């Protein structure tokens, strides 16, 4: 908990690009740091990804972690598709 609080203080906003290529352990790390305490007014987590572009299955990336991450987000996902 102390490490997560220290990371949130130093980096109050995190952006995970290509989130569809994360694995469940990587997602759990970000979730524990940025979503676990429920104080979303002081820090945030931005997820950017498209499950149709997942390419890292060979290194255990889990495309199903991405929809799970979206579902756990404190705000509804938005789409920037044009």
């Amino acid at each position: 908990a102390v490490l997560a609080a220290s990371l949130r203080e130093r980096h109050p906003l995190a952006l995970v690009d290509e989130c569809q290529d994360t694995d469940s352990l990587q997602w759990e790390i970000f979730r524990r740091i940025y979503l676990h305490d429920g104080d979303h007014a002081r820090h945030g987590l931005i997820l950017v990804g498209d499950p149709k572009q997942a390419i890292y299955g060979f290194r255990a990336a889990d495309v199903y972690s991405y929809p799970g991450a979206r579902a756990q987000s404190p705000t509804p996902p938005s789409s920037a598709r044009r």
Side-chain angles (χ1 to χ4, degrees), residues 3-56:
L3 176 59
S6 176
L7 288 168
R8 282 192 304 270
E9 183 177 326
R10 184 169 182 175
H11 307 285
L13 184 64
L15 181 136
V16 180
D17 195 12
E18 303 296 343
C19 185
Q20 76 276 1
D21 290 320
T22 59
D23 61 35
S24 57
L25 177 60
Q26 291 166 325
W27 166 243
E28 183 63 18
I29 291 167
F30 283 110
R31 189 190 70 74
R32 286 187 183 200
I33 294 169
Y34 289 97
L35 302 179
H36 189 66
D37 73 347
D39 183 10
H40 306 297
R42 300 193 57 196
H43 54 267
L45 179 62
I46 299 169
L47 306 176
V48 179
D50 182 349
K52 293 179 279 185
Q53 294 184 16
I55 61 171
Y56 288 108

